Amino acid sequence: MKLNDKEIMDDLLKFLDKSVSMYHSTLNSVEMLKKNGFEKLELTERWKLKKQGKYYLVVNNSTVIGFVVGNNEKSGFKIVGAHTDSPGFKIKSNPIIKQSGYLQLNTEVYGGPILQSWFDRPLSIAGRVFVKGKTSYTPEVRLLNIDKDLVTIPSLAIHMTSVEERGKVPNAQTQALPIVGLGEEFDLDELIAKELDITKDEILSHDLFLCSREKAKILGVNGEFFQSGKIDNLGMIHAGLVSIINAQATDSTQIFVGFDNEEIGSSTQQGAASAMFKDVLKKISLSQGNDEQDFINQIYKSYMISADQAHAIHPNYISKADPTNKPKLNEGPVIKDSARKSYATDAFGKAVLLDIAKDNDIKLQIFHNRSDLRGGSTIGSIIETNTGIRNIDIGNPMLAMHSINEMAGTKDQLLMIKLMKAFYESK
């Protein structure tokens, strides 16, 4: 996948447009890996791995792991981790609400979206649908993306709001439900069946989300920025994929993982807090003839980059930035640090990455939250706690994080790929 800078950005925009849910971002990641020679593995089968072999596996349709086997089976793992999910709205069971002549969908908030950013724009529905399979324990999965402007969440007119109500966060249950139409009759399963060319009776269950209909785009007087939904964290997913695909094999096994459910705490089978990832690492190790003690040794020789978007200083809210650490767009990837260890970064992790960056002429920035703001968290500390693997948290600076339309710098995206590739190839 030898692409120039423009081709990389064009590919990223297409990736963002196609990744309307965590299931679609996982599928699109798999397509990139398959196109570049990665072979599929199943978590429930025995593995026979070969040196410099390229492999991938998928967990529960929404977590993807790709890896290149190293030349030395005793070496530690080099890992880049990100997440496939983004904040938004999940459609509830029995979702149809009928009131005052309107047909609405009953939804609940997934993660921490900026609710108001989802209002007054065309939305649709995407996710996965389970249909009857050969046995009760092997239902078939179909991915759904209704490719039309289907629903919207209208704002209340300013003339109908009091001064006290203006600017308040909408109530997610009563003020943020999407309208799908007018009348008394609407059957979501019938719509799903029509889209998937199946019968309604074949549908068993589904995980469905609202999704934006707007396309990713380059903007700015000199094309400095790109804007899209789900940049957090598909920007890091795409960068990690491009990096592992293009990195030269080394003694260490190189691993890219895109976990699901980071936005809701990671405590799922396919999330970073589960036993699954350590089991995958163990299978990689044992499949190369290592024993239990060899595997433990590998763990404590390993290093992981937890890659999740970072906050840039906002020109309209400069006071919200830390006084001495103010990441700027297009001035390089950001190391994220926190005394309360919401980020896994410590001085050792910084030393390693700063040295790699210096050797490859890549400028890095530093982010700390203001001391009176709690800030967010990532998969970094979760993986460090569950596996013992040393971690550093990094990301690219961006604006409007968790909005339906986020914004980041084009130069930073290319620099992140350069940094990740250098990390994979480092000794």
Side-chain angles (χ1 to χ4, degrees):
M1 187 182 179
K2 300 294 183 182
L3 303 177
N4 61 37
D5 291 354
K6 183 180 184 305
E7 290 171 331
I8 289 172
M9 291 306 302
D10 287 345
D11 191 68
L12 170 62
L13 298 186
K14 292 175 184 176
F15 185 86
L16 289 165
D17 286 341
K18 293 188 296 182
S19 298
V20 288
S21 75
M22 61 279 279
Y23 312 109
H24 292 81
S25 59
T26 299
L27 175 65
N28 296 328
S29 299
V30 165
E31 291 301 316
M32 287 179 67
L33 293 170
K34 286 170 60 178
K35 186 177 178 180
N36 288 276
F38 286 70
E39 302 174 32
K40 186 177 183 180
L41 298 174
E42 296 290 346
L43 196 54
T44 54
E45 296 176 354
R46 296 183 70 87
W47 296 351
K48 294 181 179 179
L49 308 179
K50 54 188 177 183
K51 286 182 170 55
Q52 296 192 25
K54 299 178 179 181
Y55 306 95
Y56 77 89
L57 64 149
V58 173
V59 182
N60 202 16
N61 311 123
S62 58
T63 284
V64 58
I65 303 171
F67 63 94
V68 180
V69 178
N71 295 318
N72 183 349
E73 66 275 8
K74 307 296 184 187
S75 291
F77 304 107
K78 288 182 180 170
I79 307 164
V80 172
H83 63 89
T84 59
D85 62 324
S86 298
F89 291 86
K90 190 173 190 291
I91 297 174
K92 292 183 181 180
S93 305
N94 306 310
I96 308 306
I97 294 175
K98 302 174 184 179
Q99 55 183 354
S100 301
Y102 292 101
L103 294 168
Q104 292 179 277
L105 295 177
N106 192 10
T107 59
E108 57 186 322
V109 173
Y110 178 91
I114 300 176
L115 295 183
Q116 296 95 325
S117 70
W118 285 74
F119 284 44
D120 307 317
R121 62 184 67 238
L123 305 170
S124 194
I125 297 172
R128 67 174 177 175
V129 179
F130 284 96
V131 301
K132 190 170 179 59
K134 292 182 179 180
T135 73
S136 297
Y137 292 96
T138 57
E140 294 182 13
V141 179
R142 306 283 184 88
L143 296 196
L144 177 74
N145 177 18
I146 301 178
D147 190 16
K148 65 182 291 187
D149 299 339
L150 184 64
V151 304
T152 191
I153 308 171
S155 296
L156 182 65
I158 195 168
H159 315 83
M160 302 177 76
T161 58
S162 67
V163 174
E164 292 76 19
E165 291 173 323
R166 294 172 192 174
K168 287 187 177 180
V169 175
N171 182 293
Q173 183 61 70
T174 62
Q175 299 172 330
L177 299 181
I179 294 174
V180 69
L182 295 171
E184 291 294 324
E185 298 299 326
F186 176 69
D187 189 322
L188 181 58
D189 281 353
E190 283 186 2
L191 178 61
I192 293 169
K194 182 179 179 181
E195 288 289 323
L196 297 179
D197 194 24
I198 58 177
T199 66
K200 177 181 170 182
D201 289 342
E202 292 178 83
I203 298 172
L204 297 173
S205 62
H206 39 67
D207 292 308
L208 300 179
F209 297 81
L210 300 185
C211 61
S212 174
R213 295 283 295 159
E214 295 182 68
K215 298 295 185 183
K217 60 189 76 69
I218 301 292
L219 73 159
V221 66
N222 295 308
E224 302 100 323
F225 315 120
F226 65 103
Q227 188 176 55
S228 172
K230 303 180 186 293
I231 294 174
D232 175 21
N233 194 35
L234 299 188
M236 296 298 95
I237 291 283
H238 190 266
L241 289 166
V242 173
S243 302
I244 197 170
I245 287 168
N246 288 287
Q248 296 295 313
T250 65
D251 283 350
S252 296
T253 293
Q254 302 157 337
I255 301 173
F256 168 77
V257 54
F259 291 105
D260 190 11
N261 301 133
E262 188 274 346
E263 297 291 356
I264 55 171
S266 297
S267 295
T268 60
Q269 183 206 28
Q270 62 274 11
S274 80
M276 174 271 298
F277 186 57
K278 193 168 186 179
D279 287 342
V280 169
L281 298 179
K282 192 171 186 177
K283 289 191 73 165
I284 293 172
S285 182
L286 299 184
S287 297
Q288 297 179 79
N290 289 329
D291 60 23
E292 187 81 20
Q293 192 165 162
D294 292 326
F295 172 60
I296 293 171
N297 293 343
Q298 279 186 286
I299 288 292
Y300 291 100
K301 290 188 285 187
S302 297
Y303 188 89
M304 176 172 162
I305 287 176
S306 167
D308 204 344
Q309 298 288 153
H311 298 289
I313 188 168
H314 196 304
N316 297 337
Y317 301 92
I318 289 174
S319 64
K320 292 294 185 180
D322 180 75
T324 60
N325 298 282
K326 304 175 182 181
K328 297 178 181 178
L329 295 180
N330 287 331
E331 293 199 10
V334 176
I335 294 174
K336 303 193 290 185
D337 203 349
S338 169
R340 69 182 182 91
K341 302 304 289 182
S342 53
Y343 306 128
T345 302
D346 63 9
F348 172 84
K350 279 186 187 177
V352 171
L353 201 67
L354 286 167
D355 195 52
I356 292 172
K358 185 177 180 181
D359 287 346
N360 290 273
D361 195 28
I362 302 169
K363 178 185 174 183
L364 300 182
Q365 306 183 79
I366 305 292
F367 172 82
H368 287 262
N369 283 299
R370 279 178 56 109
S371 300
D372 53 358
L373 292 175
R374 183 172 175 82
S377 60
T378 71
I379 62 171
S381 293
I382 295 172
I383 292 295
E384 191 167 86
T385 301
N386 288 353
T387 67
I389 294 174
R390 293 184 112 156
N391 252 267
I392 188 170
D393 266 294
I394 68 171
N396 274 341
M398 66 178 295
L399 298 175
M401 186 181 288
H402 287 198
S403 170
I404 198 171
N405 244 343
E406 300 167 324
M407 176 176 159
T410 53
K411 183 179 177 182
D412 291 326
Q413 188 70 20
L414 301 170
L415 287 172
M416 180 61 77
I417 292 169
K418 183 179 179 181
L419 177 64
M420 289 178 174
K421 182 173 180 290
F423 161 67
Y424 277 134
E425 295 176 344
S426 62
K427 296 180 181 179

